[in-house]
Amino acid sequence: MGILATITETVYFIAETFNPFWFIPGWFRSWITYAFSTLGMLGSFLALFLYRNQNSLLYHPEVPGIPKDPRENPERYRNPGEWNMPYEDVIVKAEDQTELHGWLIKQPDSAAAPTIVFFQENAGNMGLRLPNMYELWRRLSVNIFMVSYRGYGRSQGVPTEEGLKMDADAVLKYVSTLKQVDPKKIVILGRSLGGAVGIHITSMYPEKVKGLIVENSFTSIADMVDVLMPFLAIFKGLILRIGWKSIESIKDITTPILFISGARDELVPPSQMRKLYDAAVSCSLPSWFWSLVLTLLALQQTSIHRTWYIVPDGGHNDTCMRNPREYCEKVKEWMQKIGL
């Protein structure tokens, strides 16, 4: 109730003590004071609702009209076997013993192939991503490990920022110990919310990640509040408990990063992806070095540390499927550049 009391008392204090309507007749002034107090109360209740329910407002394990469990999806969206991809059903336990459901999709010679660990977008179950995973699997000859965050699909638990970070920690450690996988050839692909998850876990374990791909992700939840709920921007310092401060975490990453941005992203402004890209430039080498390189050698786009790929007609959820062949070629070129 602290937030409720703070906002209500502030509004009442301004309306009553400072009395900005001193020149208005008393009876009307009292009515205005009452109106402001009522609005303050309504705003306070809204703020309290958002404070208590922000996890359920942010994370969307279920989408109207779409099953939560991938086994109930339409055909071709239920498991990788429906795409003729060899796979294993896997259960990974997070640090708090939450069980996470995943799919390990394998190449015939899996130990020799690179492995992509995929952290999905926010909404829906992981079966919905199978068409894109199939393109990556067949065009890049990679293994793929897909996982349902806690509370998503067949995984246990309730999604929170702390919980998803534990999930990523457990998944990366699990994949790194698999006999079917070369631990020196692990690439993380994070899309939208998954980009924030990928940035976090790569910043924590750079020695375990050969490369990071960030697609249509955001700088922080606070910055997304400014975009989606600008009327709450002034109160976000009091209300917001979720961080996902990728703009800060990415500065600690020395792992090569491929940024994939859909120019027509209707949810996350592409400018936020560009800010992530710009923030990453100072990670591996001093800024003066990059200035020298850019000025004298014009090698910005060939830096092994960061690579920028924009999809002109890419929206938030369909960037990877606008031109799957070109998309995979760009990823393949980048993987070759970093030694995979």
Side-chain angles (χ1 to χ4, degrees):
M1 293 297 290
I3 293 176
L4 178 62
T6 299
I7 298 176
T8 302
E9 289 174 6
T10 300
V11 173
Y12 188 80
F13 180 78
I14 293 173
E16 188 66 40
T17 305
F18 284 97
N19 197 2
F21 307 106
W22 59 269
F23 55 88
I24 298 176
W27 65 269
F28 193 52
R29 196 159 63 238
S30 298
W31 184 87
I32 291 178
T33 300
Y34 173 77
F36 265 74
S37 298
T38 301
L39 288 173
M41 286 292 292
L42 291 174
S44 300
F45 280 116
L46 175 61
L48 184 61
F49 172 80
L50 293 172
Y51 180 80
R52 289 183 171 179
N53 296 280
Q54 56 194 268
N55 280 324
S56 60
L57 291 171
L58 173 62
Y59 304 109
H60 298 284
E62 296 185 65
V63 178
I66 297 176
K68 180 183 178 183
D69 189 329
R71 292 174 295 187
E72 299 174 10
N73 283 349
E75 189 176 357
R76 304 267 290 177
Y77 293 91
R78 293 177 293 203
N79 62 69
E82 295 185 330
W83 293 81
N84 295 318
M85 293 187 287
Y87 80 103
E88 296 177 12
D89 256 316
V90 175
I91 297 295
V92 179
K93 280 193 177 183
E95 183 181 357
D96 62 354
Q97 300 305 303
T98 298
E99 294 188 353
L100 311 170
H101 174 239
W103 289 325
L104 174 61
I105 305 170
K106 299 182 292 184
Q107 290 293 326
D109 187 6
S110 62
T115 299
I116 290 178
V117 176
F118 176 63
F119 294 116
Q120 70 167 56
E121 307 92 318
N122 186 6
N125 67 65
M126 64 181 178
L128 305 178
R129 282 79 192 183
L130 283 172
N132 174 233
M133 297 300 105
Y134 175 71
E135 294 293 336
L136 294 171
W137 177 80
R138 77 182 184 94
R139 294 182 185 274
L140 303 182
S141 299
V142 294
N143 308 310
I144 300 172
F145 189 89
M146 306 175 67
V147 65
S148 292
Y149 307 127
R150 61 183 58 212
Y152 284 68
R154 294 165 57 189
S155 294
Q156 297 176 343
V158 177
T160 64
E161 180 178 2
E162 180 184 4
L164 265 64
K165 288 178 177 178
M166 280 195 286
D167 297 348
D169 186 278
V171 165
L172 183 56
K173 289 177 179 177
Y174 175 83
V175 173
S176 299
T177 61
L178 288 174
K179 293 182 180 179
Q180 308 101 305
V181 166
D182 186 340
K184 296 181 180 179
K185 295 182 179 180
I186 294 176
V187 172
I188 288 179
L189 167 57
R191 188 171 293 148
S192 188
L193 172 63
V197 177
I199 289 170
H200 164 75
I201 199 62
T202 303
S203 71
M204 297 297 293
Y205 301 103
E207 74 283 357
K208 293 182 180 293
V209 181
K210 182 68 173 180
L212 168 65
I213 304 172
V214 179
E215 183 177 330
N216 290 342
S217 197
F218 47 81
T219 50
S220 69
I221 295 298
D223 289 342
M224 286 303 297
V225 168
D226 294 341
V227 173
L228 301 176
M229 299 180 179
F231 56 92
L232 289 177
I234 191 173
F235 298 117
K236 66 183 180 183
L238 293 172
I239 299 172
L240 199 57
R241 293 183 289 119
I242 305 173
W244 289 119
K245 299 177 182 178
S246 296
I247 194 68
E248 298 299 327
S249 298
I250 205 165
K251 296 175 183 178
D252 298 326
I253 295 177
T254 56
T255 303
I257 309 173
L258 171 61
F259 295 87
I260 303 177
S261 179
R264 295 187 180 179
D265 191 326
E266 68 283 4
L267 182 60
V268 179
S271 60
Q272 293 200 19
M273 275 291 289
R274 192 69 196 190
K275 287 178 181 178
L276 290 173
Y277 174 83
D278 291 339
V281 74
S282 62
C283 301
S284 59
L285 293 168
S287 58
W288 63 262
F289 176 86
W290 286 109
S291 297
L292 182 63
V293 169
L294 298 181
T295 303
L296 301 179
L297 303 178
L299 291 178
Q300 182 178 16
Q301 296 304 320
T302 60
S303 163
I304 193 173
H305 177 68
R306 60 172 195 169
T307 303
W308 179 259
Y309 167 44
I310 190 163
V311 179
D313 57 349
H316 186 69
N317 292 312
D318 65 359
T319 292
C320 59
M321 297 302 288
R322 279 293 179 176
N323 188 335
R325 180 177 180 178
E326 180 185 283
Y327 178 97
C328 290
E329 285 176 351
K330 293 293 184 180
V331 174
K332 186 174 184 178
E333 288 173 9
W334 173 77
M335 290 177 64
Q336 290 173 342
K337 186 168 68 173
I338 66 173
L340 290 174

